[in-house]
Amino acid sequence: MYETFWLVFASIPNCNECVLFRCTQDIWLISVLSFLLQVSNVWATKFGLLLERKNTANDAQLSPPGEPLPTVFSMLHPLDEIAPVVCKPAGQFDGSRVQYVSDSTMKIVFTCCQPSILVSYDTVQGIHSVWALRKVTHDERSTVLRCPTEPVGTPLGLMASGFLTSHLRNISRLDSSPLHYSALHSHQSRILTSSPGLHSRVHSPSISNMAALSRAHSPGMAAPSFSGAARFNTSFHSPSSRGHHGLLPSPNSTVNETMLVPEMEPIIPDLCMEQLWSETVTAGSRREMSSQASKVFLTSDLCENRYLCFLVESHQQLRCVKFIESNDTSQLIFPSVTTISAKDAEPLQNIDAMLVLEACGSLVLYTGITRVSKVFVPGLLSPTFSLTNHLPHLSTPVDNISTPTNAGSRHLQRLDEVDIMPSPVSELRSPNIKHHEASFLEDYTFQQATPYIHALRDPVCNRVTLELSSGTMLRISIPEIVLVKWYNIYNAPGGPSAHAEWNLFVTCFMTLMGYNTERLNWTRHLHFEVPLSPVIAAKKARPSDGGSDEVMSYNGNISPVISSVCCSLPHFFLSSLLFFLFLSFPRMSQVSSPSSPSLKLDSSAPLFPHIPALFYVLHLLYQELQLDELQRARASSLVCLLQQLARDLQLEEYVDLYWRDYPSLISGFTESCFIDQGKTHLIRPSFLRAEPPCVLSWLSSCLRGEENQPFPYLPGICQRTRLLVLSYALYIIGNENATSTDVSKYLVKLSAALKICLPAQRRLCCVSKDTDSCTNLKTLIPVLGFTLKDLESVPFGVALPIREAIYRCREQPCSDWSEEVCLLIGRQDLTKQAHKMTLAKSKAVRLSLEPPPTTEADEEEDGMSDIIQEVTGLIWSQDLRVQEVRRLLQSSRPVRVSVVQLPEVSDHEYIEEKENKLLQLCQRTMALPVGRGLFTLFSYHPVPTEPLPVPKLNLTGRAPPRNTMVDLNSGNIDVPPNMTSWPSFHNGVAAGLKIAPASQVDSAWIAYNKPKSPELANEYAGFLMALGLNGHLTKLATLNIHDYLTKGHEMTSIGLLLGVSSAKLGTMDMSITRLLSIHIPALLPPTSTELDVPHNVQVAAVIGIGLVYQGTGHRHNAEVLLSEIGRPPGPEMEYCTDRESYSLAAGLALGMVCLGHGSNLIGMTDLNVPEQLYQYMVGGHRRAQAGANRERHKSPSYQIKEGDTINVDVTCPGATLALAMIYLKTNNRSIADWLKPPDTWFLLDFIKPEFLLLRTLARCIIMWDEILPNTEWVKSNIPQIMRGTFDPSEDINMETMAQAQDYITAGACMALGLRFAGSANSDAFDCLYEFARTFMKIMSFAGTAAVTGYYNLQTGLSMILLAMSMVMSGTGNLKVLQLCRFFHKRTGGEMNYGFHMAHHMALGLLFLGGGRYTLSTSNSAIAALLCALYPHFPAHSTDNRYHLQALRHLAVLAAEPRLLVPVDVDSLKPCYALLEVTYKETKWYDETTVELMAPTMLPELHLLKRVKVKGPRYWELSVDLSKETQHLKSILSRDGVLYVKLRAGQLPYKDDPQGWKSLLATTVNHRNSGVRAFKPEAISTFTSEPALVSFAEFFCKTSDGMKHDTLVLFSAMLYECVTQECPEMLPTYIAIEQAVGALRRGDLLQTFPLWQLRLVVELWDSRMLKGPANANDTLLTSEFLPVMKNTVDVALDGWLRALRSYMRGEGLSRDAQSAMLASFLVYRSIPCLRNTHTQLEGKTNSHEAFQLYLCTHVFMC
């Protein structure tokens, strides 16, 4: 027998119920009717049975093709035939809502009669759904049968269901032979072929109703029904489509009426499933699909909220779906779902609750979704310390949810009926507490054998069975009083007071220990809001010996008492109590209570044997409460209970300790109770010693440097004790391993076996040593989880050493500390900096300093409005140089064309003259975008929904005085064709370079900016290149790249190829390599189809290869590029024009591929790279081409006849720069000597002057370390024959000599600029500026200028100007700006487009990125600058013969952010801050320290040792670069924002440049002391701390009720807190003053303030013992503390007489003398002498003994 359940058929009038049972795996039997049916499951419902059909392997053969058959059937009467169930899924259209349940993946897991619902599970999607089960309506029946309400003509229902009806009924008449099956299959096929509509997957066949037997028939008449039902012994397969549960609508059949069986009637459905709710499928659940619910049940809470709960074992979750009825009670609404972590659960219907077994093994009581309490079962392992997480999962899935009691598979062992004890809900603990609990469990081996709860089963009313891991079953019951008490307490208006709640605990607890609370004076008057005392009294055992019945009576009735108490008890007290309460005894002992006297404990009480252990636990809890200012009020309540237990246990020192803490309170307690241990042994644990553990005394010993034993603590409970003890071990003792390996030296934890884990007599020596507090502080955060919130609630004396350690760390912190450490030390600047760095790891962080909006429209259109003026206003605060740069670089407004019309000039000629003048000005305008792109570099964060604004390139002019328009399109003068093509490209690059790398840019936004007009295609091409330079082009989809390249637009191809190559710098990306190789014929196979690639595109592709393979030394690419430098011209004008730019590009690319490798070119020895390059540089016979190039260059050129000689005019520039880049910074003198200029006039005539510039530049950057910033070094590069005296007899060409000298000087200056790029080296700048003035003087004299040539002089001067801009990059040097503005105004003569480009590039470099960026001198940066600043600028806007104009923008690759911007953390505004920058020692200079006023440009980081924010205005901050530079790099790369915190009493440099207005400065200027000169009303000027401002407002102003002395004292406190920058010390000052004042007045009721004052004094004394210099490290001033100490000494000196009585052991009076004596004993550290006074009786008299002790103990203090 498998399963059995009762079923009520509502349709049977005379038979109310029948028995349904399963005899085999798939066969169900009904006793009322011998009905044999093969199904997978049967479910009882409100209407009858639901049958789930089982799917078998031959379902697909029986089902029509693509037509799934129903899977769920109903039977409303035992004599009825089964009918298919229809469903109404949610979320579909009305026309197809009603469908048959035909989804084989949907499994029913639960049914319910009231309400009539069922729960299903989708095995594919892994989701659960809730359905309402009801009778089908007439409309739904008509819809599913496709039968209209009023039939017209042939009934559609018969037509639609004819096939299925005949099919089902034929099955009943056929046996199971293959012949019959074949006949059936052929019949089915014939019908299906005649109805094409039935083949669709969107439909399912209708099922006709079977011929139901009349309910009045006799049983004999029912026999045919059995044979008819046997047709369902063969299952049907129903494939489903996901998303609609496979519930497919019936087809609209067009079967001919003649094909129907006339006697067959349609099968009419009886029940309908209407979907109410379904689980939401999220991304997370799809990754880990939920399993089928193993349990489903209904439950409710005490507020009558109802829940449908189902247990998902795969996730160990109990999902509770709340449901309510609609207003008309016709529908259920499911508003919310709550998930509870659970391994098992069962409902408790009678008490509106459920029992949940959590994953950790805890048994928890819930009412609805509200957690009520933990449930403790005596004799089982406490769930709080359960080890179930470490044990294998042994749960067995329940086969059937309706009948969970499946005892057939296991032996049912003895069931014990036990009541349980619930515990209150404990709060969630922090992870570190859980960690300690886990480590706490490692000590126990006895728990492995203790059984634990494995599963729950068989809930009935309020009882449930527990399956234990040992196989035993335990039956428990939950008393109803538990939830009644809990509900009354926690849901009543107001609830119980804290006082009543505590009294409830004390009374219950003492009763369980055997006290008669009615006869103790202090417990007799306790009042309760819940009348519990009579209940307890009624349940006490009678004096006669009660047998087992009495035991069960006691145990059965004590549970409600404990339950009500536990539920109302604060969890903090209960946790400590239960720590040993339920671990110490497995079962309650039998009761044997003889008559007890009035003050005698009942030894038969259940907790009586464990009084010592419980007392010790509560004592440690008392010590824990002493360390929390917020919980200390509870300590005064707990001490009453503790003193009673200590008196009864005769622990005199404990009583003395409590009296010292609360003398006024404890003096009123004198009663003690007698403990009779005659019959019951009182267990005294070994750790309960006569000397009480006192945490304040332990901390005091640490401060005095005395030895101490490890302090005991309870894991998970005494967390603050553990935290502070280890903190003192870190800071006072100085043990860095206190939180790791040496924990046992300072702490000892109590085990659950009621013994202390103490090392063998290990004692610690509290000898403080000098340690790094900052290092220890970093340890405190991750290990202990220490926060400022914890420190605020620590008593001031205990917290003072920690605050001092924090203060020292605050003075000199590390810049790379975590956010938690910075928050702990109170450095808001570092906290915000660390928080910004944390965010930056996950996503880009924008600069918080937004540029102010510009009001003028024309300024908004110039493309330079995004420069942050707050920063530039601080950098250049004395002038308007930034506005001047914007004026010089703007190209969006018409230029001014000033031409004076002479009398003899006609109007037509005048117009031509103006247009010619405009054409000259347009040469300058078209060159401006290159400089503007550098000026606005990375200054803009685009909005994803807006296109990028591109400033207009305006080539019109205005002629004064009438501002008439002057245009070049009038046709009066000849304008070069395509003049604006490359300027538009540069304009697009300049606009794109504004986009910051941290901006949110994606492929869609890049495509969104594509212009509609073809005239703007050149600008968009430049925009694409700019996106590559700032790294955003990697986000462009490959499909878009392919689309751009296939357009065949030359500019777009150039920009895209250079852009993607720059974005993939040095990555050797293969996809980009393939993209570039298509445009380079030399990289294609010899047999490949020749592509018509424009020459400039090939140049860009070659440079792209160099960028992608930069510094890799790639052999194949190096070989190809080496040969391409000297590629000969081909036939039919192939490679005959602009050969110089291609050869130069190949040389530059080769240099980048082998950048800095020098002679270490691995695998290239056979190429002879240096020799080949030298040959390209000096000329000679051409070498034969090898490999594939031999065939490609076999045919000579028909236009250019070079023969077999190398054309050095083409190959020399590329070869020279390639040699320079390969041997960059290698100081290879042999290679450098190749590049020396000729030392004879004869050889000098064979070299072009431009090549001398390149050779000098190459030689100098190879000999990098020999470059010196002085004129002597520059002149040393000029050959000796030019520097000496000339022999008049020699035939010297002065023009050759002058040109050679000027070009060599320009080359040396260019090398000097590269060497000191971005350094702002004053010597280098002065040297370059001197040569610039020299060149300008030469140009001013017509004679000398004519000898050299104006073009040559202008070229040399442009190179020197660029060199100066490189040195002063980002600094905005005024002298360089003046030179740039001077050349900006010169537009006539030889000043062409190329020179304007050079001058404005110099201007852009000078203000690179708006002053936020500068140039680097890394190898990659030098290579980029060589490409961008190649010393041959274009003669006009379309000139690309010698150098591709697009390469000018590669200077961006050399830019790096080095501007450090201090930002005030309070105002979030940029400010000035003094920096101390320390340079590393080099061979040129020693370690040097300089002071810079930030915002400032830092030198290159590899040159620095340390960067420090220097005081006294701001809190100091040091960044140590000798260890690592990544932290500072990350700051600089994120806008350079360094948050700084202004010290209290200081003003910013902007408001107080000289520091004369600060708080300390006003003190010095006055003759009075600082306190007297201090004005509290002006406090808001010097600090923004809310606590100090409020204190000054309310307590430091003269008022009627305020005494003058108090006002002076408060002002002094405020002054100290402001000047010392320690607002957190203000409560400490006030607390000390209040404690001293109370002691002086004699109204001190407790000694806790004196404990704290004692700790403060001992800390001060320990500092003074180290020397007076250490007094400066203390937070308390040297004036305040001695005054307070002296006041305490005076107040306590008068109490020595009471001390003498105390030492004799005499009683004390209950007046104020008791409190003052306790204060004296605590403050003077006098131990308890009640047990030692007898030892002093051997002296002559007690006075002598007293004097002896006093001399020994008191005066030594």
Side-chain angles (χ1 to χ4, degrees), residues 490-562:
Y490 286 97
N491 292 281
S497 65
H499 178 70
E501 190 176 5
W502 171 251
N503 293 340
L504 186 69
F505 167 74
V506 171
T507 304
C508 175
F509 185 51
M510 295 188 69
T511 304
L512 290 175
M513 288 190 295
Y515 283 91
N516 189 338
T517 58
E518 297 296 331
R519 298 190 178 184
L520 274 176
N521 290 332
W522 71 276
T523 59
R524 183 185 307 156
H525 304 292
L526 295 179
H527 300 287
F528 301 97
E529 296 181 8
V530 180
L532 189 61
S533 295
V535 178
I536 297 178
K539 300 305 177 183
K540 289 182 179 179
R542 291 185 294 271
S544 60
D545 292 338
S548 60
D549 293 338
E550 290 294 325
V551 174
M552 295 302 297
S553 174
Y554 187 91
N555 289 340
N557 291 286
I558 196 65
S559 178
V561 177
I562 300 179

Side-chain angles (χ1 to χ4, degrees), residues 121-152:
Y121 173 73
D122 191 319
T123 58
V124 176
Q125 296 188 11
I127 60 175
H128 296 84
S129 302
V130 181
W131 307 76
L133 188 65
R134 56 174 173 80
K135 287 293 187 71
V136 66
T137 64
H138 180 69
D139 293 339
E140 292 169 347
R141 184 182 295 114
S142 301
T143 302
V144 77
L145 296 176
R146 293 295 188 266
C147 179
T149 306
E150 297 179 0
V152 179

Side-chain angles (χ1 to χ4, degrees), residues 958-973:
R958 296 283 184 178
R962 298 181 181 179
N963 272 349
T964 56
M965 178 68 69
V966 182
D967 197 351
L968 297 178
N969 298 327
S970 61
N972 296 320
I973 62 173

Side-chain angles (χ1 to χ4, degrees), residues 425-557:
V425 182
S426 61
E427 296 180 356
L428 295 177
R429 295 171 178 169
S430 59
N432 57 345
I433 295 178
K434 293 181 179 179
H435 167 73
H436 299 320
E437 289 183 356
S439 62
F440 171 75
L441 292 175
E442 294 173 1
D443 299 337
Y444 316 129
T445 58
F446 73 94
Q447 296 185 1
Q448 299 290 341
T450 306
Y452 62 93
I453 302 174
H454 170 63
L456 309 177
R457 56 183 294 169
D458 307 337
V460 177
C461 297
N462 64 333
R463 299 184 299 277
V464 70
T465 299
L466 309 181
E467 283 191 43
L468 304 184
S469 58
S470 60
T472 307
M473 294 189 184
L474 192 67
R475 191 73 173 174
I476 66 171
S477 63
I478 308 294
E480 297 184 16
I481 191 174
V482 174
L483 289 177
V484 172
K485 296 284 185 184
W486 178 83
Y487 181 80
N488 290 337
I489 290 174
Y490 286 97
N491 292 281
S497 65
H499 178 70
E501 190 176 5
W502 171 251
N503 293 340
L504 186 69
F505 167 74
V506 171
T507 304
C508 175
F509 185 51
M510 295 188 69
T511 304
L512 290 175
M513 288 190 295
Y515 283 91
N516 189 338
T517 58
E518 297 296 331
R519 298 190 178 184
L520 274 176
N521 290 332
W522 71 276
T523 59
R524 183 185 307 156
H525 304 292
L526 295 179
H527 300 287
F528 301 97
E529 296 181 8
V530 180
L532 189 61
S533 295
V535 178
I536 297 178
K539 300 305 177 183
K540 289 182 179 179
R542 291 185 294 271
S544 60
D545 292 338
S548 60
D549 293 338
E550 290 294 325
V551 174
M552 295 302 297
S553 174
Y554 187 91
N555 289 340
N557 291 286

Side-chain angles (χ1 to χ4, degrees), residues 328-515:
D328 56 357
T329 68
S330 62
Q331 188 178 1
L332 294 180
I333 302 173
F334 295 80
S336 62
V337 182
T338 304
T339 300
I340 299 174
S341 175
K343 191 168 64 173
D344 205 349
E346 289 292 355
L348 304 172
Q349 301 293 348
N350 279 20
I351 60 175
D352 293 326
M354 62 179 175
L355 208 56
V356 174
L357 180 62
E358 293 184 337
C360 62
S362 299
L363 201 60
V364 182
L365 190 66
Y366 279 81
T367 173
I369 58 175
T370 305
R371 183 182 175 119
V372 177
S373 64
K374 285 187 178 180
V375 177
F376 291 91
V377 181
L380 298 182
L381 183 64
S382 174
T384 307
F385 307 102
S386 175
L387 295 178
T388 54
N389 289 336
H390 307 287
L391 296 175
H393 189 67
L394 302 176
S395 60
T396 303
V398 181
D399 294 333
N400 189 280
I401 305 301
S402 299
T403 58
T405 309
N406 186 7
S409 59
R410 63 176 64 91
H411 176 66
L412 187 63
Q413 301 188 22
R414 186 178 69 90
L415 293 178
D416 296 328
E417 192 82 22
V418 212
D419 285 334
I420 51 86
M421 293 185 177
S423 73
V425 182
S426 61
E427 296 180 356
L428 295 177
R429 295 171 178 169
S430 59
N432 57 345
I433 295 178
K434 293 181 179 179
H435 167 73
H436 299 320
E437 289 183 356
S439 62
F440 171 75
L441 292 175
E442 294 173 1
D443 299 337
Y444 316 129
T445 58
F446 73 94
Q447 296 185 1
Q448 299 290 341
T450 306
Y452 62 93
I453 302 174
H454 170 63
L456 309 177
R457 56 183 294 169
D458 307 337
V460 177
C461 297
N462 64 333
R463 299 184 299 277
V464 70
T465 299
L466 309 181
E467 283 191 43
L468 304 184
S469 58
S470 60
T472 307
M473 294 189 184
L474 192 67
R475 191 73 173 174
I476 66 171
S477 63
I478 308 294
E480 297 184 16
I481 191 174
V482 174
L483 289 177
V484 172
K485 296 284 185 184
W486 178 83
Y487 181 80
N488 290 337
I489 290 174
Y490 286 97
N491 292 281
S497 65
H499 178 70
E501 190 176 5
W502 171 251
N503 293 340
L504 186 69
F505 167 74
V506 171
T507 304
C508 175
F509 185 51
M510 295 188 69
T511 304
L512 290 175
M513 288 190 295
Y515 283 91

Side-chain angles (χ1 to χ4, degrees), residues 1279-1305:
Q1280 187 66 32
I1281 58 174
M1282 299 182 188
R1283 288 184 288 175
T1285 57
F1286 303 107
D1287 188 356
S1289 62
E1290 294 184 11
D1291 184 12
I1292 299 175
N1293 190 337
M1294 297 303 296
E1295 181 180 358
T1296 301
M1297 184 191 70
Q1299 291 180 1
Q1301 188 171 358
D1302 291 342
Y1303 273 103
I1304 291 173
T1305 302

Side-chain angles (χ1 to χ4, degrees), residues 730-742:
L730 276 172
Y731 299 136
I732 303 302
I733 301 175
N735 188 349
E736 298 180 1
N737 300 322
T739 58
S740 56
T741 59
D742 294 343

Side-chain angles (χ1 to χ4, degrees), residues 1711-1725:
D1711 53 8
Q1713 291 185 356
S1714 176
M1716 293 303 295
L1717 177 59
S1719 301
F1720 185 90
L1721 298 175
V1722 168
Y1723 188 74
R1724 297 300 185 188
S1725 305

